[in-house]
Amino acid sequence: MSFREYVNLETGKTLPVFSLEEIINQHQELSNDLISQFKPFQYFGNYLKHGYYPFSREFGELYDQQLRAIVNLILEVELPQLRKFDLGYVPKIKQLLSIIADSVPFIPNVTKLSQKIGINRTTLLSYFHYLHESKLTSNLYQSNDGISLLQKPEKLYLENTNLAFALGRNVDIGNLRETFFLNQVGYHHRLTLPETGDFLIDNKWNIEVGGMGKDLPKTEKANHYVAADGIETGFNTKIPLWLFGFLY
């Protein structure tokens, strides 16, 4: 579920979907209208931890355990059957997923990782692709054109923030914010890694993701924005992070 769908489920409301253009160009008006109907931070933290999958209500306190069971099913059954995933590497891949959850965010050094995990470089790169394909991770590249099976991603994220809490030990807040943004915006849009900033959307909008004190450098150009956590409403080029959860 998107953050919007989660809020609708929790409140019984029917809050609207907005386009990315609307959020970027009208975010103050949109956020003011929404916060008159609900308090975003009453729900945002819970969504990041337990709100992505609809079955969270069914499992309650056992939700994280259920997510880990799903991860085990993918790694131990589905990938070995469908992609010739070596079962002997599963404990190391689980360790890698935990590292991704706790990193700031995770920039893979394939040579060091292959040595540490004991998987050759070619196999490790193919596993990065399979993890992304199975929706356990999201791989960020400098360009999405002609991505090959053996192309190294520039950054690795877990596919959603709930997985981070289920698999990580000390989840990094910066990683969490970027994972939320990539997950929600990437549903309908193409995201790549820009030369500066955190995400480039559709080769048009450059986004920095951070906390409430995050601001753009004075040298930044047009179409550069901040997605800021911890604020209900934004101003100018500073947009509330939670509002990007209303894209679907």
Side-chain angles (χ1 to χ4, degrees), residues 134-145:
S134 62
K135 294 191 179 297
L136 289 180
T137 67
S138 290
N139 302 342
L140 190 67
Y141 299 89
Q142 286 188 330
S143 171
N144 283 334
D145 297 328

Side-chain angles (χ1 to χ4, degrees), residues 77 103 132 141 148 166:
V77 179
S103 297
H132 178 83
Y141 299 89
S148 70

Side-chain angles (χ1 to χ4, degrees), residues 104-119:
V104 190
F106 189 70
I107 301 174
N109 183 317
V110 177
T111 300
K112 288 185 177 180
L113 273 176
S114 64
Q115 292 173 349
K116 182 176 181 180
I117 296 177
I119 305 176

